[in-house]
Amino acid sequence: MLSDSAHIFVQGGNGGDGCTSFRREAHVPMGGPDGGDGGRGSNVEFVCDDSFRDLQSFSRRVHYKGPRGRHGEGALKKGPDGEDLVVKVPPGTQITGLDGTVHDLVVPGQTVVVARGGSGGRGNARFASATRQAPRFAEKGLPGDEGWIDLKLKLLADVGLIGMPNAGKSSLITRATRARPKVANYPFTTLEPNLGTIDGERRQLILADIPGLIEGASEGKGLGHEFLAHVERCRMLVHVVDLLPFDGTDPVENHATIEAEIAAYDPRLATLPRVLVLNKADLLTPEAAAEAEAEWRARLDGPDVPVLEDWEEPVEPDVPIVVTSAATGQGVDALRALLLRTVPERPVDGPGAVDLSDAPLAEHKVYRPKVARDWSVEKTEDEGFRVFGDGIMRLLSRHDLENEESLQYVETRLRKMGVIEALQDQGFRPGDDVEIAGVLFEFDPEA
């Protein structure tokens, strides 16, 4: 069965640690520090590949972890970066990323990075200065992004065939295209959307046979949400109505039920162009089929349908009606020609895209705003202080606080960041406890 969704765990590779090393050679009496930087961790990247058709592979593998960057080495050797982990998905895949951003991969070759690898730590050679000529510490690599993401497949079809179960959609798409779906005389024969193509002289259309919908599908009854999701990307809907349902239901009520479910799921779908197909005409006499077509035309267009004179150019009705029979082939050629003539063209580079190839280039200035402070200071209940924030956490996670030189460097960085000044503004006095990332510090503002 076609897999339409997946919930997977992704993790970018951790950055490699910087190296603490000193050059030791007989002919170089004062070689100095030569520890190299660690490599960047790998990204987890998703790429749209039109050789894939579903998300079935994600039911067998749930965790995707990118390789880490290598550690730095002596002689200023930088650790190699981790090789990015590339995950292939079919066109039409919608990805909800770690931060809630939704990415649509609809064009083959389109990529998106969903989990970035951690940056590598700097080696001790990067910390050498006139006053710190032999640093005995280096930075640790940062961990990569990680978390659960959601994948959802929405087929990239031009035309979607909708209708009640057993309305004859599968048989119709078999006649109209080269698709070979399962066909049988019972409801819900089709358990997954089937695709077929119609080839014209100047264009090709993709038809999707959307499995039979039922009342309440927009609320998730049956497999409603899974099936309706595939209708979202279609540019035209073909509503297939069984003229003589085997269960004795009313075709008019069946038509109204499906239209109501489509509109309830997404009001935008109610505005898509429609074609009404009155199927299984072979079960009626030609006179009865023609009478049914006239009744549906009066129902859809109203009683005041203008009659064209011979010299007037025919105008396509708002909802064209085609009487078909998948068993005999009646009306199938007319349906193909109608779709090739009336389905709107797809925008350049995917749904909703705009072609800006001829747009003039505008001159502009780049303003770089000052980076906002990403940490805060607050008093604790025991008259101490707590410093928290992403910038502070990154600083402490990079350094070994058991190393005295590393700890001195961290304190210097905290002073430059304005943490000591912010603590004093909150009433900090020498001897007060300051908690940073679960570690207690003692600061002397006068030092």
Side-chain angles (χ1 to χ4, degrees):
M1 181 175 177
L2 182 70
S3 181
D4 295 336
S5 60
H7 187 59
I8 63 174
F9 185 85
V10 294
Q11 180 178 353
N14 295 336
D17 295 341
C19 176
T20 301
S21 173
F22 293 89
R23 186 176 181 183
R24 295 181 178 88
E25 296 179 45
H27 60 282
V28 185
M30 299 180 64
D34 68 347
D37 299 341
R40 178 188 62 82
S42 63
N43 297 327
V44 179
E45 180 180 274
F46 282 70
V47 59
C48 181
D49 189 332
D50 58 1
S51 63
F52 288 78
R53 289 293 177 265
D54 61 24
L55 304 177
Q56 185 66 35
S57 61
F58 297 99
S59 63
R60 299 187 293 271
R61 178 183 175 187
V62 178
H63 292 81
Y64 293 81
K65 181 179 180 180
R68 66 171 302 150
R70 298 285 296 275
H71 299 319
E73 300 179 12
L76 297 177
K77 292 182 179 178
K78 179 183 180 299
D81 295 337
E83 184 177 354
D84 289 345
L85 176 61
V86 178
V87 184
K88 298 179 180 180
V89 293
T93 301
Q94 189 176 79
I95 303 174
T96 302
L98 298 174
D99 59 353
T101 303
V102 178
H103 308 274
D104 274 327
L105 298 185
V106 297
V107 180
Q110 189 177 1
T111 62
V112 61
V113 175
V114 297
R116 295 195 174 277
S119 58
R122 293 178 291 177
N124 68 332
R126 300 283 293 273
F127 297 97
S129 66
T131 58
R132 190 193 298 117
Q133 298 184 6
R136 289 177 171 81
F137 68 94
E139 286 183 336
K140 298 177 182 179
L142 292 179
D145 298 336
E146 63 177 73
W148 292 89
I149 65 172
D150 292 305
L151 310 180
K152 190 172 185 180
L153 178 63
K154 299 179 181 180
L155 295 179
L156 286 175
D158 302 301
V159 180
L161 272 64
I162 59 174
M164 296 291 283
N166 216 40
K169 299 183 299 298
S170 298
S171 300
L172 191 61
I173 200 172
T174 299
R175 272 280 188 175
T177 72
R178 292 189 292 270
R180 292 295 178 265
K182 180 181 178 181
V183 177
N185 188 27
Y186 55 84
F188 299 106
T189 309
T190 305
L191 296 178
E192 59 188 50
N194 295 294
L195 296 180
T197 59
I198 294 179
D199 296 313
E201 293 183 1
R202 293 176 295 178
R203 67 186 305 196
Q204 182 185 67
L205 297 178
I206 299 177
L207 273 65
D209 166 22
I210 308 300
L213 303 175
I214 60 174
E215 187 173 2
S218 61
E219 301 173 358
K221 290 186 179 180
L223 295 177
H225 278 168
E226 295 185 24
F227 294 160
L228 284 168
H230 295 295
V231 183
E232 292 184 32
R233 299 190 192 276
C234 296
R235 289 172 290 140
M236 176 176 280
L237 299 180
V238 173
H239 194 150
V240 181
V241 174
D242 186 352
L243 283 174
L244 194 62
F246 76 97
D247 57 1
T249 55
D250 183 7
V252 176
E253 293 182 0
N254 292 342
H255 176 270
T257 297
I258 297 299
E259 290 293 336
E261 294 302 328
I262 291 290
Y265 178 77
D266 186 349
R268 183 190 63 84
L269 297 178
T271 65
L272 289 179
R274 293 284 198 282
V275 171
L276 178 64
V277 169
L278 304 179
N279 198 28
K280 301 185 181 181
D282 56 293
L283 301 180
L284 282 71
T285 64
E287 293 78 12
E291 182 179 350
E293 180 182 5
E295 291 176 356
W296 277 98
R297 172 55 54 209
R299 186 175 297 111
L300 296 179
D301 289 347
D304 300 325
V305 180
V307 179
L308 298 178
E309 301 293 340
D310 294 338
W311 52 271
E312 289 184 303
E313 184 177 351
V315 178
E316 204 76 65
D318 291 339
V319 182
I321 297 178
V322 182
V323 179
T324 64
S325 169
T328 64
Q330 175 186 348
V332 174
D333 289 340
L335 176 61
R336 276 197 294 257
L338 175 65
L339 295 178
L340 288 169
R341 185 173 67 251
T342 59
V343 173
E345 295 287 344
R346 188 176 292 279
V348 177
D349 293 335
V354 179
D355 184 7
L356 300 177
S357 57
D358 297 329
L361 297 177
E363 296 183 359
H364 61 280
K365 295 181 180 180
V366 177
Y367 295 92
R368 301 187 184 278
K370 184 178 179 180
V371 178
R373 193 173 77 174
D374 58 353
W375 52 268
S376 301
V377 175
E378 68 177 12
K379 278 190 174 183
T380 59
E381 295 179 357
D382 55 357
E383 298 302 321
F385 296 86
R386 188 168 73 95
V387 183
F388 58 95
D390 293 339
I392 297 293
M393 292 298 295
R394 283 194 300 269
L395 175 63
L396 267 65
S397 63
R398 279 194 178 279
H399 295 276
D400 178 11
L401 301 183
E402 300 296 327
N403 183 306
E404 185 176 347
E405 286 192 43
S406 180
L407 188 58
Q408 290 175 356
Y409 175 78
V410 169
E411 184 172 344
T412 301
R413 289 287 302 142
L414 291 174
R415 289 180 182 276
K416 290 183 177 180
M417 293 170 65
V419 173
I420 306 300
E421 183 180 352
L423 285 169
Q424 290 178 308
D425 292 341
Q426 293 280 352
F428 170 80
R429 296 176 181 275
D432 291 341
D433 290 334
V434 179
E435 178 190 341
I436 304 178
V439 180
L440 289 179
F441 287 79
E442 292 184 2
F443 295 112
D444 182 359
E446 304 300 328

Short mmCIF file of all heavy atoms in Angstrom, two decimals, residues 328-366:
data_model
loop_
_atom_site.label_atom_id
_atom_site.label_comp_id
_atom_site.label_asym_id
_atom_site.label_seq_id
_atom_site.Cartn_x
_atom_site.Cartn_y
_atom_site.Cartn_z
N THR A 328 -17.44 0.37 -22.57
CA THR A 328 -17.50 0.46 -24.03
C THR A 328 -16.56 1.51 -24.62
O THR A 328 -16.34 1.53 -25.82
CB THR A 328 -18.93 0.80 -24.46
OG1 THR A 328 -19.28 2.10 -23.97
CG2 THR A 328 -19.91 -0.23 -23.91
N GLY A 329 -16.05 2.39 -23.79
CA GLY A 329 -15.19 3.46 -24.29
C GLY A 329 -15.93 4.71 -24.68
O GLY A 329 -15.32 5.68 -25.16
N GLN A 330 -17.23 4.73 -24.48
CA GLN A 330 -18.04 5.90 -24.84
C GLN A 330 -17.58 7.14 -24.09
O GLN A 330 -17.40 7.12 -22.87
CB GLN A 330 -19.51 5.63 -24.53
CG GLN A 330 -20.43 6.84 -24.76
CD GLN A 330 -21.85 6.59 -24.30
OE1 GLN A 330 -22.22 5.43 -24.01
NE2 GLN A 330 -22.66 7.63 -24.20
N GLY A 331 -17.32 8.23 -24.79
CA GLY A 331 -16.99 9.52 -24.19
C GLY A 331 -15.58 9.64 -23.67
O GLY A 331 -15.19 10.73 -23.23
N VAL A 332 -14.78 8.57 -23.71
CA VAL A 332 -13.43 8.64 -23.15
C VAL A 332 -12.53 9.56 -23.98
O VAL A 332 -11.78 10.38 -23.44
CB VAL A 332 -12.81 7.24 -23.03
CG1 VAL A 332 -11.35 7.32 -22.57
CG2 VAL A 332 -13.62 6.39 -22.05
N ASP A 333 -12.62 9.44 -25.30
CA ASP A 333 -11.82 10.33 -26.17
C ASP A 333 -12.23 11.79 -25.98
O ASP A 333 -11.37 12.69 -25.96
CB ASP A 333 -11.99 9.93 -27.64
CG ASP A 333 -11.31 8.61 -27.96
OD1 ASP A 333 -10.41 8.22 -27.19
OD2 ASP A 333 -11.67 7.97 -28.97
N ALA A 334 -13.53 12.03 -25.83
CA ALA A 334 -13.99 13.40 -25.61
C ALA A 334 -13.48 13.94 -24.28
O ALA A 334 -13.10 15.12 -24.17
CB ALA A 334 -15.52 13.45 -25.64
N LEU A 335 -13.41 13.09 -23.26
CA LEU A 335 -12.90 13.51 -21.96
C LEU A 335 -11.41 13.85 -22.06
O LEU A 335 -10.96 14.87 -21.53
CB LEU A 335 -13.13 12.41 -20.93
CG LEU A 335 -12.57 12.67 -19.53
CD1 LEU A 335 -13.21 13.91 -18.92
CD2 LEU A 335 -12.78 11.46 -18.62
N ARG A 336 -10.65 13.01 -22.76
CA ARG A 336 -9.22 13.29 -22.92
C ARG A 336 -9.00 14.63 -23.62
O ARG A 336 -8.18 15.45 -23.20
CB ARG A 336 -8.55 12.16 -23.72
CG ARG A 336 -8.13 10.97 -22.88
CD ARG A 336 -7.13 10.13 -23.66
NE ARG A 336 -7.76 9.53 -24.81
CZ ARG A 336 -8.14 8.26 -24.91
NH1 ARG A 336 -7.94 7.45 -23.87
NH2 ARG A 336 -8.70 7.78 -25.98
N ALA A 337 -9.73 14.86 -24.70
CA ALA A 337 -9.58 16.10 -25.46
C ALA A 337 -9.98 17.31 -24.62
O ALA A 337 -9.33 18.36 -24.66
CB ALA A 337 -10.41 16.04 -26.74
N LEU A 338 -11.05 17.16 -23.83
CA LEU A 338 -11.51 18.25 -22.98
C LEU A 338 -10.44 18.62 -21.94
O LEU A 338 -10.15 19.80 -21.72
CB LEU A 338 -12.81 17.86 -22.28
CG LEU A 338 -13.37 18.86 -21.26
CD1 LEU A 338 -13.78 20.15 -21.95
CD2 LEU A 338 -14.54 18.24 -20.50
N LEU A 339 -9.84 17.62 -21.31
CA LEU A 339 -8.83 17.88 -20.29
C LEU A 339 -7.58 18.53 -20.90
O LEU A 339 -7.03 19.48 -20.34
CB LEU A 339 -8.45 16.59 -19.57
CG LEU A 339 -9.57 15.94 -18.75
CD1 LEU A 339 -9.08 14.64 -18.13
CD2 LEU A 339 -10.09 16.89 -17.68
N LEU A 340 -7.13 18.04 -22.04
CA LEU A 340 -5.96 18.63 -22.69
C LEU A 340 -6.21 20.08 -23.08
O LEU A 340 -5.29 20.90 -23.12
CB LEU A 340 -5.58 17.81 -23.93
CG LEU A 340 -4.95 16.44 -23.66
CD1 LEU A 340 -4.88 15.63 -24.95
CD2 LEU A 340 -3.56 16.59 -23.06
N ARG A 341 -7.47 20.40 -23.33
CA ARG A 341 -7.81 21.76 -23.77
C ARG A 341 -8.04 22.71 -22.61
O ARG A 341 -7.77 23.92 -22.73
CB ARG A 341 -9.07 21.69 -24.63
CG ARG A 341 -9.49 23.02 -25.27
CD ARG A 341 -10.63 22.85 -26.24
NE ARG A 341 -11.87 22.45 -25.59
CZ ARG A 341 -12.43 21.24 -25.70
NH1 ARG A 341 -11.84 20.31 -26.42
NH2 ARG A 341 -13.57 20.96 -25.07
N THR A 342 -8.50 22.22 -21.47
CA THR A 342 -8.98 23.13 -20.42
C THR A 342 -8.16 23.13 -19.13
O THR A 342 -8.31 24.08 -18.35
CB THR A 342 -10.44 22.78 -20.05
OG1 THR A 342 -10.50 21.42 -19.60
CG2 THR A 342 -11.35 22.97 -21.24
N VAL A 343 -7.33 22.12 -18.88
CA VAL A 343 -6.56 22.13 -17.64
C VAL A 343 -5.58 23.28 -17.67
O VAL A 343 -4.81 23.43 -18.61
CB VAL A 343 -5.81 20.79 -17.44
CG1 VAL A 343 -4.87 20.89 -16.23
CG2 VAL A 343 -6.80 19.66 -17.25
N PRO A 344 -5.57 24.14 -16.63
CA PRO A 344 -4.65 25.29 -16.61
C PRO A 344 -3.20 24.84 -16.65
O PRO A 344 -2.85 23.76 -16.16
CB PRO A 344 -4.98 25.99 -15.28
CG PRO A 344 -6.34 25.48 -14.90
CD PRO A 344 -6.44 24.10 -15.44
N GLU A 345 -2.35 25.69 -17.21
CA GLU A 345 -0.92 25.39 -17.25
C GLU A 345 -0.34 25.50 -15.86
O GLU A 345 -0.72 26.36 -15.06
CB GLU A 345 -0.20 26.37 -18.19
CG GLU A 345 -0.60 26.25 -19.66
CD GLU A 345 -0.04 25.00 -20.31
OE1 GLU A 345 0.88 24.40 -19.73
OE2 GLU A 345 -0.53 24.62 -21.39
N ARG A 346 0.64 24.64 -15.56
CA ARG A 346 1.31 24.69 -14.26
C ARG A 346 2.33 25.82 -14.28
O ARG A 346 3.06 25.99 -15.25
CB ARG A 346 2.00 23.37 -13.97
CG ARG A 346 2.56 23.29 -12.55
CD ARG A 346 3.15 21.92 -12.27
NE ARG A 346 2.14 20.90 -12.24
CZ ARG A 346 1.36 20.65 -11.20
NH1 ARG A 346 1.49 21.37 -10.10
NH2 ARG A 346 0.46 19.70 -11.23
N PRO A 347 2.43 26.61 -13.20
CA PRO A 347 3.42 27.68 -13.14
C PRO A 347 4.85 27.13 -13.25
O PRO A 347 5.08 25.94 -13.03
CB PRO A 347 3.19 28.31 -11.76
CG PRO A 347 1.82 27.89 -11.37
CD PRO A 347 1.60 26.56 -12.01
N VAL A 348 5.78 28.01 -13.59
CA VAL A 348 7.17 27.62 -13.73
C VAL A 348 7.74 27.19 -12.38
O VAL A 348 7.50 27.84 -11.37
CB VAL A 348 8.01 28.79 -14.31
CG1 VAL A 348 9.48 28.40 -14.39
CG2 VAL A 348 7.48 29.16 -15.68
N ASP A 349 8.49 26.08 -12.37
CA ASP A 349 9.18 25.60 -11.17
C ASP A 349 8.23 25.33 -10.02
O ASP A 349 8.44 25.75 -8.89
CB ASP A 349 10.26 26.59 -10.70
CG ASP A 349 11.40 26.67 -11.69
OD1 ASP A 349 11.59 25.69 -12.43
OD2 ASP A 349 12.09 27.70 -11.72
N GLY A 350 7.15 24.62 -10.30
CA GLY A 350 6.32 24.15 -9.21
C GLY A 350 5.09 25.01 -8.96
O GLY A 350 4.95 26.10 -9.50
N PRO A 351 4.16 24.50 -8.15
CA PRO A 351 2.91 25.20 -7.88
C PRO A 351 3.13 26.57 -7.26
O PRO A 351 3.91 26.73 -6.33
CB PRO A 351 2.21 24.26 -6.88
CG PRO A 351 2.87 22.94 -7.05
CD PRO A 351 4.27 23.23 -7.45
N GLY A 352 2.48 27.56 -7.84
CA GLY A 352 2.53 28.90 -7.26
C GLY A 352 3.78 29.68 -7.56
O GLY A 352 3.93 30.81 -7.10
N ALA A 353 4.72 29.08 -8.31
CA ALA A 353 5.99 29.79 -8.56
C ALA A 353 5.79 30.89 -9.60
O ALA A 353 4.88 30.86 -10.41
CB ALA A 353 7.05 28.81 -9.04
N VAL A 354 6.67 31.86 -9.57
CA VAL A 354 6.63 32.98 -10.50
C VAL A 354 7.94 33.03 -11.27
O VAL A 354 9.02 32.91 -10.67
CB VAL A 354 6.40 34.32 -9.75
CG1 VAL A 354 6.39 35.47 -10.73
CG2 VAL A 354 5.11 34.27 -8.96
N ASP A 355 7.86 33.16 -12.59
CA ASP A 355 9.06 33.23 -13.41
C ASP A 355 9.61 34.65 -13.38
O ASP A 355 8.99 35.58 -13.89
CB ASP A 355 8.73 32.81 -14.85
CG ASP A 355 9.97 32.76 -15.73
OD1 ASP A 355 11.08 32.92 -15.17
OD2 ASP A 355 9.84 32.57 -16.94
N LEU A 356 10.78 34.83 -12.75
CA LEU A 356 11.39 36.14 -12.62
C LEU A 356 12.62 36.27 -13.50
O LEU A 356 13.49 37.10 -13.23
CB LEU A 356 11.77 36.39 -11.15
CG LEU A 356 10.62 36.37 -10.14
CD1 LEU A 356 11.16 36.56 -8.74
CD2 LEU A 356 9.59 37.42 -10.48
N SER A 357 12.73 35.44 -14.54
CA SER A 357 13.94 35.45 -15.36
C SER A 357 14.13 36.77 -16.10
O SER A 357 15.26 37.17 -16.37
CB SER A 357 13.88 34.29 -16.37
OG SER A 357 12.71 34.40 -17.17
N ASP A 358 13.03 37.46 -16.43
CA ASP A 358 13.14 38.72 -17.16
C ASP A 358 12.98 39.94 -16.25
O ASP A 358 12.90 41.07 -16.73
CB ASP A 358 12.06 38.78 -18.26
CG ASP A 358 12.27 37.68 -19.30
OD1 ASP A 358 13.44 37.31 -19.53
OD2 ASP A 358 11.27 37.20 -19.86
N ALA A 359 12.92 39.72 -14.95
CA ALA A 359 12.72 40.84 -14.04
C ALA A 359 14.01 41.66 -13.93
O ALA A 359 15.10 41.10 -13.91
CB ALA A 359 12.31 40.33 -12.66
N PRO A 360 13.91 43.00 -13.89
CA PRO A 360 15.12 43.82 -13.78
C PRO A 360 15.77 43.66 -12.41
O PRO A 360 15.09 43.39 -11.42
CB PRO A 360 14.58 45.24 -13.96
CG PRO A 360 13.14 45.17 -13.52
CD PRO A 360 12.68 43.80 -13.91
N LEU A 361 17.08 43.79 -12.37
CA LEU A 361 17.81 43.71 -11.11
C LEU A 361 17.76 45.07 -10.42
O LEU A 361 18.06 46.09 -11.01
CB LEU A 361 19.27 43.31 -11.37
CG LEU A 361 19.48 41.92 -11.98
CD1 LEU A 361 20.96 41.69 -12.24
CD2 LEU A 361 18.93 40.85 -11.06
N ALA A 362 17.37 45.07 -9.16
CA ALA A 362 17.24 46.32 -8.42
C ALA A 362 18.49 46.55 -7.57
O ALA A 362 19.04 45.62 -7.00
CB ALA A 362 16.00 46.27 -7.52
N GLU A 363 18.93 47.81 -7.53
CA GLU A 363 20.04 48.14 -6.66
C GLU A 363 19.53 48.24 -5.23
O GLU A 363 18.43 48.71 -4.98
CB GLU A 363 20.66 49.48 -7.09
CG GLU A 363 21.29 49.44 -8.48
CD GLU A 363 21.94 50.78 -8.83
OE1 GLU A 363 21.87 51.69 -7.98
OE2 GLU A 363 22.50 50.89 -9.91
N HIS A 364 20.33 47.78 -4.30
CA HIS A 364 19.90 47.81 -2.92
C HIS A 364 21.10 47.91 -2.00
O HIS A 364 22.22 47.62 -2.38
CB HIS A 364 19.09 46.55 -2.57
CG HIS A 364 19.89 45.28 -2.72
ND1 HIS A 364 20.09 44.68 -3.93
CD2 HIS A 364 20.55 44.54 -1.80
CE1 HIS A 364 20.84 43.60 -3.77
NE2 HIS A 364 21.14 43.49 -2.47
N LYS A 365 20.82 48.35 -0.79
CA LYS A 365 21.84 48.42 0.25
C LYS A 365 21.60 47.29 1.25
O LYS A 365 20.46 46.88 1.47
CB LYS A 365 21.79 49.78 0.96
CG LYS A 365 22.15 50.96 0.06
CD LYS A 365 22.11 52.27 0.85
CE LYS A 365 22.47 53.45 -0.04
NZ LYS A 365 22.44 54.73 0.73
N VAL A 366 22.68 46.84 1.85
CA VAL A 366 22.60 45.79 2.85
C VAL A 366 22.86 46.39 4.22
O VAL A 366 23.91 47.01 4.43
CB VAL A 366 23.61 44.66 2.56
CG1 VAL A 366 23.56 43.61 3.67
CG2 VAL A 366 23.34 44.03 1.21
#
